[in-house]
């Protein structure tokens, strides 16, 4: 029996031939050369095409962090991703790749090939914002929030899914990398020498640390919905409308998902728009920065709110979940989203797993961009307690970016 535990471009054709469930997806007798395209921190990703134009993607988890083989990582994350992707697909098929099959024995997901899409982060870096993506992600988060929470899912079934989706090891990574390590001395952290004082300021800011502590506690305890868990712009495929096809936005790589706070995914998108805006500001493109930060987080939020309001009449227990509760729930999610945006932005500047938006800047502009993100994030985390309006918080963040830019 061949060893399929570590697939390679060379072994994928024979592997595919051994999986009857995938027999109709591609013609294994007429495959084009398989290409490994994984560029994330964790997994192998193979694009498989046949001579007739059919294709699929195989994603296999490695038993360690791809970018750091000394860091072990459970392969059970594949089963959790298959569960999450399957659930999200059932609720909102237009916003995720289709899941064709999951091979539990070999930790391989077979999913839809979205090669006609591009990763949003790369597009943002190249100055192509794909503005429509923000609202699509807002709708996706709302549909998942409603459809996987007790608002829309039978409570007995919901508890079974909560149990199946427990994701301790990957949650621990998020708890460490997002909520703890940036605020302590840790070997994962790295900043420019010129930004060391900015990090020191963060760590001695009691008000900020209190908010981060509350956010970490909520992340670890608020099992509201089966969230994506890592919804940064590198986890989003976009395809602009054209050639008779509509625009398309798909969230992929949900292996960090679990039953957590609804606001976490919104905060992740908002944080990455802040990072993209910091890049634009650093490159002297204030107009683009304004679109990215003064407009898109607001569009994200409006779409989320509108979709959740539209779904609300279908809630399962209107006897006690009245319209007044919806208002309070929305206010809580909006407040938390600003906090999670802050935490998710800080981690990309200080800690492990940085982002190309900032890292590919020259040192001169990178210094100011990093400083701007840290100070803007601090504002999001703290100012939200006085006024959690997404547009006003984002406008304040944009002003901070402009005030800290260096060349
Ligand atoms: C060790 S994994 C590092 C990061 O990559 C993923 O995309 C998550 O954001 C995680 O925190
Ligand atoms: Mg990922």
């Amino acid at each position: 029996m061949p060893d399929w535990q570590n697939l390679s471009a060379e072994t994928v054709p024979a592997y595919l031939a051994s999986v009857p469930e995938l027999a109709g997806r591609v013609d294994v007798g007429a495959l084009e050369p398989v290409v490994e395209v994984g560029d994330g921190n964790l997994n192998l990703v193979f694009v498989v095409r046949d001579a007739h134009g059919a294709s699929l993607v195989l994603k296999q988890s490695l038993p360690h962090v791809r970018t750091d083989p000394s860091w072990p990582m459970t392969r059970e994350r594949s089963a959790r991703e298959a569960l999450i992707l399957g659930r999200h697909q059932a609720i909102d098929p237009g916003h995720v790749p289709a899941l064709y099959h999951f091979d539990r024995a070999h930790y391989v997901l077979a999913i839809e090939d979205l090669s006609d899409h591009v990763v949003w982060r790369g597009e943002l870096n190249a100055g192509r914002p794909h503005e429509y993506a923000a609202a699509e992600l807002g709708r996706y988060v709302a549909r998942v929030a409603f459809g996987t929470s007790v608002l829309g899912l039978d409570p007995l079934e919901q508890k079974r899914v909560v149990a199946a989706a427990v994701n301790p090891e990957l949650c621990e990574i998020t708890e460490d990398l997002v909520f703890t390590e940036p605020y302590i001395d840790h070997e994962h952290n790295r900043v420019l020498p010129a930004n060391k004082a900015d990090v020191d300021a963060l760590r001695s800011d009691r008000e900020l640390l209190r908010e981060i502590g509350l956010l970490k506690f909520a992340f670890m305890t608020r099992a509201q919905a089966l969230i994506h868990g890592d919804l940064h712009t590198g986890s989003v495929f976009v395809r602009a409308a054209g050639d008779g096809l509509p625009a398309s936005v798909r969230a992929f790589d949900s292996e960090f998902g679990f039953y957590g706070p609804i606001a976490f995914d919104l905060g992740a998108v908002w944080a990455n728009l802040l990072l993209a805006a910091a890049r634009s500001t650093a490159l002297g493109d204030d107009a683009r920065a304004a679109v990215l930060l003064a407009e898109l987080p607001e569009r994200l939020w409006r779409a989320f709110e509108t979709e959740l309001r539209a779904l609300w009449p279908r809630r399962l227990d209107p006897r006690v979940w009245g319209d007044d509760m919806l208002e309070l729930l929305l206010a809580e999610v909006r407040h938390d989203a600003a906090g999670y945006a802050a935490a998710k932005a800080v981690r990309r500047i200080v800690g492990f797993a940085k982002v190309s938006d900032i890292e590919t800047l020259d040192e001169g502009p990178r210094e100011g961009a990093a400083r701007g993100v840290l100070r803007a994030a601090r504002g999001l985390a703290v100012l939200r307690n006085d006024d959690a309006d997404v547009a006003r918080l984002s406008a304040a963040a944009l002003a901070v970016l402009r005030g800290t830019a260096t060349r």
Side-chain angles (χ1 to χ4, degrees), residues 7 47 57 63 89 113 146 163 191-192 235 246 283 328 390-391:
L7 291 173
V47 177
V57 163
Q89 184 183 352
D113 173 24
F146 188 88
V191 291
L192 290 172
S235 295
L283 295 175
L328 292 173
V390 175

Side-chain angles (χ1 to χ4, degrees), residues 176-186 189 199 202-204 208-209 212 342-347 350 377:
D176 290 346
L177 268 54
V178 175
F179 297 107
T180 306
E181 291 176 8
Y183 306 96
I184 61 173
D185 276 330
H186 195 283
N189 297 332
V199 176
L202 217 62
R203 290 182 185 163
S204 57
L208 173 67
L209 292 177
I212 296 296
K344 298 278 278 181
V346 168
R347 63 79 56 110
V350 180

Side-chain angles (χ1 to χ4, degrees), residues 40-43 59 228 230 232 234-235 252-256:
N41 294 309
L42 298 178
N43 305 296
K59 176 177 176 181
H228 178 286
D230 197 23
H232 55 81
S235 295
F252 62 99
D253 260 8
S254 49
E255 68 212 282
F256 282 83

Side-chain angles (χ1 to χ4, degrees), residues 34-45:
V34 175
V35 190
E36 205 281 311
V37 297
D39 65 350
N41 294 309
L42 298 178
N43 305 296
L44 298 171
V45 182

Side-chain angles (χ1 to χ4, degrees), residues 126-209:
R128 295 184 289 271
H130 296 261
E131 290 96 330
Y132 56 88
E136 294 301 331
L137 291 175
R139 281 188 272 282
Y140 162 64
V141 175
R143 288 172 191 168
V144 163
F146 188 88
T148 65
S149 74
V150 289
L151 293 174
L153 185 60
D154 170 81
L156 292 180
E157 169 70 355
Q158 183 264 359
K159 286 171 186 64
R160 277 190 285 274
V161 186
V162 169
V166 168
N167 200 355
E169 298 86 354
L170 274 74
C171 283
E172 184 182 38
I173 290 176
T174 306
E175 290 152 20
D176 290 346
L177 268 54
V178 175
F179 297 107
T180 306
E181 291 176 8
Y183 306 96
I184 61 173
D185 276 330
H186 195 283
E187 62 185 1
H188 284 158
N189 297 332
R190 175 178 52 79
V191 291
L192 290 172
N195 289 125
K196 193 174 171 316
D198 303 303
V199 176
D200 290 344
L202 217 62
R203 290 182 185 163
S204 57
D205 187 332
R206 274 312 314 164
E207 224 181 332
L208 173 67
L209 292 177

